[in-house]
Amino acid sequence: MSGRGPARRGVLTAAAGLAAVAATAPGAQAAEASNSDTRRSRWTTSWATAQTAPTATDTVASAGLTDGTFTADVRLSAGGTVRLRYGHAFGTAPVLIGPVTAGGRPVTFDGRAQAWIAAGASLTSDPVAGLRTFEAARLTVETRLPGPTGPLSFHRNTHASHTVDGVRTTSVFLLTGVEVTGAYGPVVAVLGDSITEGVGTPDDADLRWPDQLARLLPGSAVANLGISGNRVLLDDARFGPSGQARFDRDVLSLPGLRTVLVHLGVNDLQQPPSQTDPARVLAGYRQLVLRARNAGLRTVGATVTPFEGWTRWTPELEAVRQQINAALRTGRVFDAVADFDAALRDPDRPSRMLPSYDSGDGLHPNPAGHAALAAAVDRRHLL
């Protein structure tokens, strides 16, 4: 897990008691130094999630809430002063948000306890007075929704426990980010699919590979923008807009971002209709790189991981995967490469995962496999 002590792992504290100590910490000094760099925001996203529209089977999100309370329990990466971000990317009507608390502290929006979020828009709170978090801390955010809200933009499965009116859910409604001021390491957004989202890891264990990457990088801010089933090229009613379609909203809107790591591609191959032309997938990657570079961001591309043993694997799709990965390894697509294929594959049968990394379905790695993915990301490529 992590070498940090229990106090740094889970404590939330009021600034009044620890302000003097925090101001002298190396992380705080580095954060202050970064504030002088006018090219970057002092705010970075310490926890994030990407939204989709609800379908008929998503009963709570489809119906919305009336006089309801959604409570999110999130694991941060970097610490510092806190503000919240809400989004309603797929909304058709404005929603009233508030009152809200974070770590038990009242949250305001332009000084008020409530605010409207417009359909398709985002909403950022004021800095939360008296609240300062540490790296890897848990933060509880309680959001009152007077409603009726109508259908809610949401993330279906964060592989963590939250509640709606006291009933457990793994979904997150409207809340899209917790932003902080204390990041002094790499600031990274991960645009990914179900592996990034955390499929293959237990709920509430924080063993998704972006979580494990954050623990390897002191002071880092890592935004997990994985959506199960997501592709580079095609939209899907359940799995959301493609990586290309959601890139501006989910990645480029994040404050203080330095690097984007793209971990998409296996669903373009294995989900019907399967993409069998590697040039199409590579062209999609290049468009993401172009838009990232236009925004001043560095790009890291992950090779497509092995999936023999998954129900839709075929030798023909394996050949396409190998062609995509060979092109990525040349270094002519992304600024740098994280070789996730090499990290997971069985050397005796490279089309499949090493059995000790396989969660059991041939596609999604287990926690040890997620650790191998995190270790495959070179810190030097994130700075």
Side-chain angles (χ1 to χ4, degrees):
M1 290 289 289
S2 171
R4 301 182 179 91
R8 287 187 64 80
R9 187 176 301 114
V11 177
L12 301 179
T13 183
L18 290 179
V21 175
T24 60
Q29 293 171 356
E32 287 297 319
S34 69
N35 290 346
S36 64
D37 184 352
T38 57
R39 295 169 299 175
R40 296 181 62 195
S41 167
R42 72 189 184 102
W43 292 97
T44 60
T45 301
S46 181
W47 172 90
T49 194
Q51 293 184 329
T52 59
T55 63
T57 59
D58 302 307
T59 53
V60 174
S62 294
L65 297 176
T66 299
D67 196 25
T69 299
F70 167 63
T71 302
D73 183 26
V74 302
R75 174 75 75 182
L76 305 182
S77 47
T81 302
V82 170
R83 69 183 185 186
L84 307 181
R85 187 176 189 184
Y86 292 85
H88 200 15
F90 302 93
T92 57
V95 171
L96 181 62
I97 290 177
V100 176
T101 63
R105 301 269 178 173
V107 177
T108 60
F109 304 86
D110 197 23
R112 300 175 183 273
Q114 293 181 305
W116 289 91
I117 182 170
S122 64
L123 174 70
T124 301
S125 78
D126 303 327
V128 182
L131 177 66
R132 187 173 181 85
T133 64
F134 291 119
E135 293 174 36
R138 283 199 178 277
L139 179 68
T140 299
V141 177
E142 185 175 281
T143 303
R144 191 74 177 172
L145 297 172
T149 63
L152 294 169
S153 304
F154 81 133
H155 186 100
R156 184 171 289 107
N157 189 359
T158 63
H159 302 278
S161 297
H162 318 286
T163 63
V164 176
D165 291 335
V167 178
R168 181 184 182 272
T169 178
T170 59
S171 299
V172 166
F173 305 88
L174 296 182
L175 183 68
T176 58
V178 177
E179 299 174 356
V180 300
T181 58
Y184 58 91
V187 181
V188 185
V190 183
L191 185 73
D193 52 30
S194 58
I195 298 175
T196 296
E197 186 191 64
V199 174
T201 67
D203 287 355
D204 301 313
D206 301 314
L207 291 175
R208 298 160 290 238
W209 74 259
D211 298 321
Q212 300 200 52
L213 176 64
R215 289 194 287 272
L216 293 174
L217 304 171
S220 63
V222 179
N224 186 335
L225 305 174
I227 297 178
S228 185
N230 208 225
R231 306 190 192 201
V232 178
L233 299 175
L234 296 181
D235 298 349
D236 186 274
R238 181 165 180 81
F239 302 134
S242 70
Q244 291 190 99
R246 66 187 181 97
F247 190 77
D248 290 16
R249 177 183 65 247
D250 289 349
V251 176
L252 298 187
S253 65
L254 299 182
L257 188 62
R258 194 67 170 266
T259 304
V260 56
L261 195 159
V262 178
H263 182 210
L264 292 171
V266 70
N267 291 321
D268 294 80
L269 305 184
Q270 66 87 18
Q271 281 183 187
S274 294
Q275 178 53 250
T276 58
D277 182 358
R280 290 281 305 278
V281 178
L282 292 168
Y285 288 147
R286 289 189 178 96
Q287 282 299 306
L288 296 178
V289 171
L290 177 63
R291 288 152 70 187
R293 287 175 178 167
N294 286 344
L297 302 181
R298 183 172 178 78
T299 62
V300 178
T303 51
V304 181
T305 50
F307 65 102
E308 183 182 358
W310 180 248
T311 54
R312 288 190 286 270
W313 181 89
T314 67
E316 292 75 21
L317 293 178
E318 175 64 20
V320 177
R321 186 181 77 89
Q322 294 289 354
Q323 292 175 72
I324 291 170
N325 286 349
L328 294 184
R329 291 187 182 107
T330 65
R332 293 194 293 268
V333 179
F334 293 95
D335 296 320
V337 177
D339 201 339
F340 283 7
D341 170 45
L344 292 186
R345 70 191 178 206
D346 184 342
D348 295 327
R349 192 165 180 172
S351 56
R352 71 177 184 184
M353 250 186 288
L354 198 68
S356 60
Y357 288 160
D358 191 348
S359 68
D361 64 11
L363 175 63
H364 300 100
N366 61 21
H370 278 258
L373 295 182
V377 181
D378 190 331
R379 174 189 173 92
R380 295 170 298 178
H381 296 160
L382 305 179
L383 300 175

